[in-house]
Amino acid sequence: TSSFLLSLVRSEDFIKAIGRAMNANSGVPTLGLQTIAAIQVPIPDVEIQKEIDSDIRALNELRSRLSRQAVVLPSLRSALLTTMVAS
């Protein structure tokens, strides 16, 4: 599925592999058409792709929730400490 492929190319391992394949001889990293054409992408059965995609979406949602909580926690800690000291 397209969402499976999108998740794959956004993965840290894929990005690292592309980074290693880039030509930085000129000081500016470039990614040639031949390099892109040579990339082999493992494509599992459609049902497995859907399962993987579902798992990735769940993990991304969890990461988003944890990021939002990480923003709120310092202010909650500060308020709690203020309340404890004032009591």
Side-chain angles (χ1 to χ4, degrees):
T1 65
S2 59
S3 56
F4 170 79
L5 187 57
L6 181 60
S7 295
L8 177 69
V9 298
R10 286 182 172 171
S11 72
E12 188 175 324
D13 289 335
F14 188 86
I15 292 170
K16 283 180 183 178
I18 292 294
R20 287 189 302 270
M22 292 177 79
N23 180 359
N25 291 338
S26 64
V28 178
T30 57
L31 187 60
L33 188 56
Q34 287 180 333
T35 304
I36 295 170
I39 296 171
Q40 295 184 1
V41 179
I43 304 293
D45 237 23
V46 173
E47 287 307 312
I48 293 173
Q49 289 180 43
K50 289 178 182 178
E51 288 176 27
I52 292 170
D53 185 52
S54 176
D55 291 344
I56 289 171
R57 287 175 190 263
L59 288 170
N60 285 338
E61 177 57 33
L62 178 59
R63 183 177 50 186
S64 294
R65 276 190 278 144
L66 290 172
S67 294
R68 288 191 300 272
Q69 289 175 356
V71 169
V72 173
L73 285 176
S75 60
L76 290 174
R77 179 182 179 273
S78 178
L80 179 59
L81 289 173
T82 301
T83 302
M84 288 173 59
V85 171
S87 296

